[in-house]
Amino acid sequence: EFTRPLVVPGYINSLSQTLLKLISPGVPDIYQGCEVWDNSLVDPDNRRAVDFAVRDDVLHRLEDSIDPESIMNAMATGLPKMHVIREALALRKRKLDAFQGGSTGDYRPMLATGRKLSHIVAFSRGKDVAVVVPRLLIGLNGEWEDTEIILGTGTWQNVMDGRSWEGAVRAADLLSVFPVALLERIENQL
């Protein structure tokens, strides 16, 4: 009973941490077996047996073109976490320049505005990749109010839910279908 209110914020926090780990500078590392939720009280122990059949099933469900709402409805299965991992790694492969050193792989904070901006972590990688994740969810209580994220020029597609955005985007709208956003610039405006 005590932990029930913490479960969904905990899942979303895990999605945020996973996406940040996969898109931040450096080489992403995921413990084998942690592609879905792991409720260990300590760091995962790589000597434990991994149930590959469960992970294979979750991955096959994603390959069946399941929509973001269905992914979120299957939260307890770990489907959202596998979705984040799959989409982030696919984007890294498509946008190699954004993840290399030098000016093409810059790591820069993005501007957020509004009364709840302290609940947002947003940054870009290069010119064509951006990440927006929530933080401190329990204190946020689902109320984004006037909080917005300022995207760069052009059209950006959130690879987590397929929706496209331009300019200043309300956090409540951006994170309404899937709780974290991984944006790819699909069109530049000069």
Side-chain angles (χ1 to χ4, degrees):
E1 191 66 32
F2 171 76
T3 62
R4 190 169 308 170
L6 306 175
V7 172
V8 171
Y11 284 153
I12 294 171
N13 188 52
S14 179
L15 295 177
S16 295
Q17 289 178 16
T18 300
L19 185 55
L20 290 174
K21 171 174 53 175
L22 292 169
I23 304 302
S24 293
V27 177
D29 184 23
I30 298 170
Y31 283 112
Q32 179 176 280
C34 291
E35 302 84 5
V36 294
W37 310 129
D38 178 29
N39 293 323
S40 300
L41 293 176
V42 295
D43 287 337
D45 184 340
N46 64 3
R47 295 170 291 185
R48 294 184 202 159
V50 175
D51 190 342
F52 289 105
V54 166
R55 282 134 187 92
D56 191 49
D57 179 58
V58 169
L59 189 56
H60 280 96
R61 288 181 65 193
L62 287 175
E63 291 170 355
D64 291 338
S65 300
I66 191 168
D67 62 273
E69 291 88 357
S70 298
I71 290 171
M72 291 308 295
N73 288 336
M75 178 83 80
T77 68
L79 199 59
K81 187 173 181 185
M82 185 74 81
H83 178 60
V84 167
I85 293 168
R86 181 175 180 234
E87 294 302 324
L89 292 178
L91 182 68
R92 284 182 72 102
K93 185 176 180 180
R94 278 194 314 276
K95 300 287 185 181
L96 286 174
D97 287 351
F99 297 95
Q100 296 178 2
S103 62
T104 62
D106 288 349
Y107 168 77
R108 296 178 186 258
M110 293 177 65
L111 181 62
T113 63
R115 289 186 287 274
K116 302 290 184 150
L117 67 91
S118 65
H119 291 274
I120 288 283
V121 175
F123 63 88
S124 64
R125 292 298 308 267
K127 298 176 189 170
D128 297 328
V129 175
V131 170
V132 178
V133 299
R135 64 185 286 273
L136 305 172
L137 287 166
I138 293 174
L140 179 64
N141 203 24
E143 300 293 330
W144 286 106
E145 297 180 18
D146 61 343
T147 306
E148 293 184 332
I149 297 89
I150 313 301
L151 301 177
T153 59
T155 301
W156 294 78
Q157 182 175 42
N158 183 355
V159 300
M160 294 299 157
D161 65 20
R163 298 181 302 157
S164 295
W165 305 94
E166 293 181 359
V169 179
R170 291 186 56 218
D173 296 336
L174 180 63
L175 304 175
S176 66
V177 174
F178 200 83
V180 298
L182 176 57
L183 301 144
E184 176 180 17
R185 187 191 314 261
I186 56 174
E187 179 185 316
N188 286 320
Q189 297 175 347
L190 298 176

